[in-house]
Amino acid sequence: METATYINNSLFLTYRPLNASMADKTVYETCRHMPEVILFYLGLQFINMFLGIPANLMVLWLIFKNKGDSSTSDIFIIHLAVLDTFFCLIPPLELANLVYLTTSSTWYVLRFFYGVKDSSPLFLSCICLDRYMAVRHPITFTKLKDRPHRPVCAGVMWLITLVYAVLKCVGTIPSFEKVFTIMILAAFAFMVFCNISILWALQQSGPGRDEMHPVKKRAFKMVLIILAIIVFNYFPPVALFPFQAYFSPEVFKCYIHYIAFGFMDISSSIQPMLYLSREPPKCPACCCKGCTNDETETTELRSEASTVYTVTE
């Protein structure tokens, strides 16, 4: 007889047989016929630790250093960098738990960390929405620029994150894994929509011009890269988890789960590295004035220069 307990990055399915001898097996021993998958996953987790922690700390340092030249999305990037730094601390405990430990107590700590990471798409969605408003609705964006709604929104995201992580840590709520599936599907669809809408707006040429303005062209390339990274990181769980019932429990817990979450978790390193490698637009606001006589387009270009180039995490 077996009891199923969901304990992973968001959906790890581990079977804890009531038979004592079986219960003494580690996760690595249980999946010993597919050790390369677990090793692949652990390798990505340690990349997160050695690369993600300094990268996220550097992002935080740069944002606080350049407060006078910050963008509206920086508040969400700060919170996301803090969240990713927190998540990048777990690889040593996770290695010990998967390979050496048979006690269930460490899963409570790991489930909390996993719950925190599961909620990172919420902050990503806020960043995408901020960029979407700046490009698609620049007038409304300008009116809301100095409003305190962004700190309030970040506070709400943290409240949802902590409640979700605590409930995941408890691990006794039936079908709780469906919450993550719904959340990741909704967040992924929203982020893709926002970025595709931005790309569509940027590719439109200005009045009297057949070619895309250089500032728009640079922004277009950057947003396209961002969209590709979002798909790379989040498409595997989006594509696989809704079809969990079609996989055998053994294949899902030893193979599908680690592949999907390996790609999702490496975002803790890729996103801050992308932020650090971004190049600010060379054309200052004063130059943009001479690029067009249309006042509305000038406002849009300034918004793109200040917001679209603030690379989303």
Side-chain angles (χ1 to χ4, degrees), residues 265-286:
D265 293 346
I266 198 63
S267 64
S268 295
S269 297
I270 294 178
Q271 291 158 1
M273 292 301 296
L274 180 61
Y275 180 94
L276 294 175
S277 66
R278 83 187 194 281
E279 294 184 39
K282 303 298 183 182
C283 178
C286 59

Side-chain angles (χ1 to χ4, degrees), residues 24-25 35 38 42-43 56 64 112 120 125 133 171 186-187 210 215 223 226 229 242 248 269 276 283 302 306 312:
D24 289 338
K25 288 187 177 181
I38 296 181
L42 289 174
N56 281 289
F64 284 109
F112 183 82
S120 63
S125 297
M133 291 298 297
D210 295 328
V215 174
V223 175
I226 294 168
I229 291 177
S248 68
S269 297
L276 294 175
C283 178
R302 290 176 180 176
S306 63
T312 179

Side-chain angles (χ1 to χ4, degrees), residues 19 36 40 65 75-76 80 104 108 114-115 135 161 228 243 245 308:
N19 183 296
E36 63 279 358
F40 165 78
K65 177 185 177 183
I75 184 170
F76 299 120
L80 187 55
S104 62
Y108 289 100
Y114 294 147
V135 176
T161 296
F243 304 99
V308 177

Side-chain angles (χ1 to χ4, degrees), residues 144-162:
L144 297 175
K145 188 173 182 179
D146 297 325
R147 299 291 179 86
H149 64 281
R150 291 182 182 85
V152 173
C153 183
V156 172
M157 294 301 101
W158 269 114
L159 178 62
I160 295 174
T161 296
L162 295 177

Side-chain angles (χ1 to χ4, degrees), residues 117-129:
K117 179 58 179 176
D118 287 352
S119 304
S120 63
L122 298 179
F123 289 101
L124 283 170
S125 297
C126 291
I127 298 171
C128 290
L129 177 61

Side-chain angles (χ1 to χ4, degrees), residues 27-259:
V27 173
Y28 185 81
E29 291 172 338
T30 302
C31 301
R32 61 183 178 276
H33 58 295
M34 298 180 182
E36 63 279 358
V37 178
I38 296 181
L39 293 176
F40 165 78
Y41 172 78
L42 289 174
L44 293 180
Q45 293 296 72
F46 276 93
I47 289 176
N48 269 337
M49 184 177 71
F50 292 114
L51 185 61
I53 291 178
N56 281 289
L57 291 178
M58 180 64 72
V59 168
L60 293 172
W61 179 76
L62 286 176
I63 291 176
F64 284 109
K65 177 185 177 183
N66 302 319
K67 280 185 177 181
D69 191 30
S70 61
S71 80
T72 55
S73 296
D74 280 352
I75 184 170
F76 299 120
I77 296 175
I78 289 172
H79 289 287
L80 187 55
V82 171
L83 184 151
D84 282 334
T85 303
F86 182 71
F87 176 74
C88 289
L89 298 173
I90 71 167
L93 178 61
E94 192 166 30
L95 172 64
N97 191 64
L98 295 180
V99 180
Y100 301 108
L101 303 180
T102 57
T103 177
S104 62
S105 60
T106 54
W107 282 116
Y108 289 100
V109 178
L110 288 173
R111 281 201 298 265
F112 183 82
F113 277 88
Y114 294 147
V116 169
K117 179 58 179 176
D118 287 352
S119 304
S120 63
L122 298 179
F123 289 101
L124 283 170
S125 297
C126 291
I127 298 171
C128 290
L129 177 61
D130 200 59
R131 295 202 328 269
Y132 170 83
M133 291 298 297
V135 176
R136 298 290 294 183
H137 305 283
I139 297 176
T140 303
F141 175 80
T142 302
K143 292 179 180 179
L144 297 175
K145 188 173 182 179
D146 297 325
R147 299 291 179 86
H149 64 281
R150 291 182 182 85
V152 173
C153 183
V156 172
M157 294 301 101
W158 269 114
L159 178 62
I160 295 174
T161 296
L162 295 177
V163 170
Y164 174 89
V166 170
L167 293 177
K168 189 178 187 70
C169 178
V170 174
T172 57
I173 300 178
S175 302
F176 185 72
E177 76 284 353
K178 294 181 181 179
V179 175
F180 171 77
T181 303
I182 295 173
M183 179 173 65
I184 192 66
L185 283 171
F188 180 79
F190 182 78
M191 289 187 290
V192 170
F193 166 77
C194 287
N195 283 279
I196 290 179
S197 297
I198 293 171
L199 291 174
W200 177 262
L202 292 176
Q203 75 172 354
Q204 305 301 313
S205 299
R209 289 205 307 268
D210 295 328
E211 295 184 0
M212 186 186 299
H213 187 276
V215 174
K216 283 189 174 184
K217 186 178 293 186
R218 290 168 60 85
F220 184 91
K221 291 180 181 179
M222 183 59 71
V223 175
L224 189 62
I225 293 173
I226 294 168
L227 178 60
I229 291 177
I230 289 174
V231 173
F232 175 80
N233 288 143
Y234 295 101
F235 184 73
V238 165
L240 294 172
F241 287 155
F243 304 99
Q244 177 188 346
Y246 293 92
F247 300 101
S248 68
E250 184 180 39
V251 170
F252 187 84
K253 73 175 182 178
C254 293
Y255 189 81
I256 300 299
H257 154 266
Y258 287 109
I259 293 294

